[in-house]
Amino acid sequence: MTLFRNTAATLMAAGFLILSAPVLAQHGGGGGDVDNSGLPDIPEGKWLSENPYRGSKQAMEIGKNAYDGNCARCHGIDMISGGIAPDLRELGPEYDEYFLGHIRNGVQRNGMTYMPAFEDVLDQKTMWAIRSYIDKRHYEYNDKNLDDLYKQWDEKQAAGGDQPAGDTDSTSDDTAADSASSAAPEQSATESAAASDKKKDNASADTAVEDSASATVADAEDADRLQLIKSVGSIEIAMYRAFPPWSYQAEDGSFTGIDVEIGRALAKQLGVSLKARPFTPDEGMGDDIRNQVWKGHYLGGKPADAMIHVGMAPAFQKDNDQATFVAPYYDETMGFAYNAELLGGDVDNPLALAGKKIGVQLDSLGDYFLSSAYQGQLRDGVEHFNSVPEAMKAMNAGEVVAVMAPIGELKGAAKMLGESRMKMRTTKLTGLYQTSWDVGVAVKEGNPELAAAIKDAMHTLRESGELKKIFEQFGVPYRKPMQEDKMTAGL
């Protein structure tokens, strides 16, 4: 999970592990080793805006080989990324242009490379073959009928063939009309005029219906979101997908966690039910705010009504002014858990762990801090894990002597594992790293009634003690947020 890289309040001093496209291509058979000669050619110098091979089984197979050699390192075998990179299985066919832009140009932000550019590594045919494989995984992931996907290619071939979409021969409407006139010379001028008038009448009627529908949609969009929530009877709250103890899938398959229960309690206060929307984090929390709160994800779908567990730093709020930040409910702080028996006693700061193995979640704040702080004295002892619970299990097994993470995650993992022997300490981070930060809720800007309702509901939960009980349920001591919620109705 990349939540702490995502939190704008957390300033990262360390860089990322950056791999160039050629290096990636050298592992597992890169793009140059893929034989795509069996696919229809694409005119040189013409970049298409949609997949010309959609539904082609041959393209899917070629694409899988190219994906395994160039993409699986970050996006995962069989496209199961585990949250380290965006889950490409969610990439619907309507986002071809987005896909092509990213694979050609890569992704760079603030001088850091999150994804290398592949334009000089893969040709366009191979890129679209990878896209075809993504199509297949998208259908499988969403339990769609693959035969419907294959049918698209079969119908295209039956209609005239091999030429890629975007470069097919075009027949103008005028030519088609001329052909129709030639095929039916018996139609009179009167009949033609009558048909023309009928067509105009139908067009006018269609326009009236469209205008009416547009007005209805516009009215709904202009109304405060709270009104729609009340009428529907539920509030959809976006929550991180695999983020224990905050929001995660339990062993019984249910979606649970502190944020889930807070969402459910907020919904109850509003007189509606909760509709949780689990999602995989994007490249930054600002992206998550855009995707889940005010614009909608590039993979499709509209924004949720709200998003929970967002950073509340004033600078972050200013940079994301398309959203309203409200109802801070917890003060998170960094710390570490350790095995005093293995260490021979207590420790009071991370530097005391020099020369020892320390577990961290990959690509987390703890990872960046330990890799760069104290002139790198702790770097060689860092051991990476996919989650904080995994790191804690390793500590129980004696593989590491300590785990560094936010206290909430450490306490939650200890509860999940039934671990009571380990000790925990909060710690102040040196340098540019922020030690603690508040988390709260975000809604789309321009919905003051919804923002005020959530703020009031959270206040009620806090004052009644229900919020504290939710935290205790998951083994996490409640920490009151540092900042007061100054959000009021009408702002």
Side-chain angles (χ1 to χ4, degrees):
M1 170 75 58
T2 57
L3 289 182
F4 300 101
R5 169 169 61 80
N6 291 353
T7 305
T10 305
L11 300 177
M12 299 303 176
F16 287 78
L17 174 63
I18 301 173
L19 298 176
S20 67
V23 170
L24 289 174
Q26 289 170 9
H27 291 80
D33 297 330
V34 176
D35 180 7
N36 61 24
S37 60
L39 298 176
D41 289 331
I42 297 174
E44 189 173 350
K46 181 180 180 64
W47 286 96
L48 306 181
S49 60
E50 62 182 76
N51 185 4
Y53 308 132
R54 178 153 288 123
S56 167
K57 295 180 181 179
Q58 182 183 26
M60 293 174 192
E61 185 61 32
I62 293 171
K64 183 182 187 308
N65 292 335
Y67 173 90
D68 289 344
N70 296 279
C71 314
R73 177 182 293 272
C74 295
H75 290 281
I77 301 297
D78 293 329
M79 236 165 275
I80 303 174
S81 71
I84 296 176
D87 191 334
L88 297 182
R89 296 173 300 173
E90 297 183 26
L91 194 63
E94 64 270 29
Y95 293 96
D96 286 350
E97 199 165 356
Y98 175 91
F99 161 81
L100 190 66
H102 273 59
I103 195 170
R104 285 182 64 189
N105 306 314
V107 178
Q108 297 82 31
R109 298 195 177 193
N110 300 321
M112 295 181 180
T113 297
Y114 291 82
M115 173 179 169
F118 283 85
E119 185 167 343
D120 294 332
V121 179
L122 306 174
D123 62 16
Q124 187 176 182
K125 290 173 65 174
T126 302
M127 292 181 184
W128 286 123
I130 293 174
R131 183 68 179 100
S132 298
Y133 174 52
I134 294 175
D135 285 338
K136 179 183 179 183
R137 294 295 291 131
H138 172 76
Y139 267 66
E140 293 171 336
Y141 180 63
N142 291 281
D143 294 324
K144 296 181 179 180
N145 189 346
L146 276 173
D147 288 337
D148 292 338
L149 180 60
Y150 302 146
K151 185 178 179 182
Q152 295 181 46
W153 179 254
D154 293 339
E155 290 178 346
K156 181 179 177 181
Q157 297 308 295
D162 291 338
Q163 202 164 16
D167 196 54
T168 56
D169 291 335
S170 60
T171 302
S172 70
D173 292 339
D174 290 340
T175 303
D178 290 342
S179 298
S181 297
S182 299
E186 68 279 6
Q187 186 180 37
S188 69
T190 302
E191 291 171 328
S192 297
S196 177
D197 290 341
K198 183 177 181 181
K199 183 177 181 181
K200 290 179 181 179
D201 291 340
N202 289 339
S204 298
D206 291 342
T207 301
V209 172
E210 290 174 0
D211 288 344
S212 175
S214 298
T216 302
V217 172
D219 290 342
E221 291 178 349
D222 288 341
D224 193 282
R225 193 74 182 172
L226 181 61
Q227 300 175 30
L228 180 60
I229 290 169
K230 294 283 190 179
S231 65
V232 172
S234 65
I235 180 171
E236 184 176 36
I237 302 180
M239 307 174 182
Y240 288 104
R241 185 184 302 279
F243 187 30
W246 302 101
S247 46
Y248 62 99
Q249 188 173 32
E251 291 183 358
D252 62 3
S254 63
F255 190 60
T256 187
I258 295 172
D259 287 340
V260 178
E261 293 307 314
I262 291 176
R264 186 171 286 116
L266 288 175
K268 184 177 180 181
Q269 288 290 322
L270 297 179
V272 297
S273 62
L274 170 68
K275 181 179 179 182
R277 179 197 283 192
F279 72 94
T280 300
D282 207 320
E283 294 158 1
M285 185 172 279
D287 299 309
D288 296 335
I289 295 292
R290 177 197 65 219
N291 296 340
Q292 306 301 330
V293 175
W294 61 268
K295 185 176 182 180
H297 202 283
Y298 61 81
L299 298 178
K302 295 182 178 180
D305 298 315
M307 174 179 163
I308 198 167
H309 212 102
V310 299
M312 299 292 288
F316 180 62
Q317 294 188 41
K318 184 177 180 181
D319 290 341
N320 293 272
D321 57 1
Q322 300 94 336
T324 297
F325 295 77
V326 68
Y329 60 90
Y330 180 70
D331 168 36
E332 184 60 281
T333 188
M334 287 298 293
F336 55 94
Y338 60 95
N339 188 321
E341 294 180 3
L342 292 177
L343 289 170
D346 288 339
V347 295
D348 57 6
N349 67 77
L351 195 56
L353 301 172
K356 306 290 195 304
K357 290 186 176 181
I358 310 171
V360 295
Q361 183 173 337
L362 180 67
D363 202 26
S364 67
L365 177 55
D367 185 5
Y368 298 140
F369 176 75
L370 294 178
S371 298
S372 62
Y374 306 115
Q375 292 78 48
Q377 295 182 58
L378 303 174
R379 182 184 303 126
D380 292 341
V382 173
E383 295 287 328
H384 294 107
F385 297 89
N386 289 326
S387 68
V388 172
E390 284 188 20
M392 296 283 270
K393 288 180 182 178
M395 185 168 66
N396 284 342
E399 298 172 12
V400 297
V401 300
V403 176
M404 188 171 191
I407 286 292
E409 290 190 63
L410 293 173
K411 290 286 189 179
K415 171 77 171 181
M416 293 171 66
L417 299 174
E419 176 58 62
S420 59
R421 297 171 300 166
M422 63 185 67
K423 295 188 175 182
M424 297 189 191
R425 293 283 186 273
T426 58
T427 184
K428 183 175 177 59
L429 304 186
T430 60
L432 297 177
Y433 297 94
Q434 186 156 334
T435 300
S436 24
W437 56 93
D438 287 350
V439 294
V441 181
V443 300
K444 186 176 181 179
E445 177 66 18
N447 293 280
E449 294 178 16
L450 175 59
I454 290 176
K455 173 244 178 182
D456 291 342
M458 189 72 78
H459 178 77
T460 299
L461 296 179
R462 187 163 51 230
E463 293 301 309
S464 67
E466 185 174 355
L467 193 60
K468 182 178 179 181
K469 290 180 181 178
I470 291 174
F471 278 83
E472 290 174 347
Q473 177 183 343
F474 293 89
V476 179
Y478 176 65
R479 291 170 55 93
K480 186 178 179 180
M482 296 179 290
Q483 59 181 287
E484 292 292 329
D485 189 347
K486 302 183 185 304
M487 174 66 206
T488 57
L491 289 183

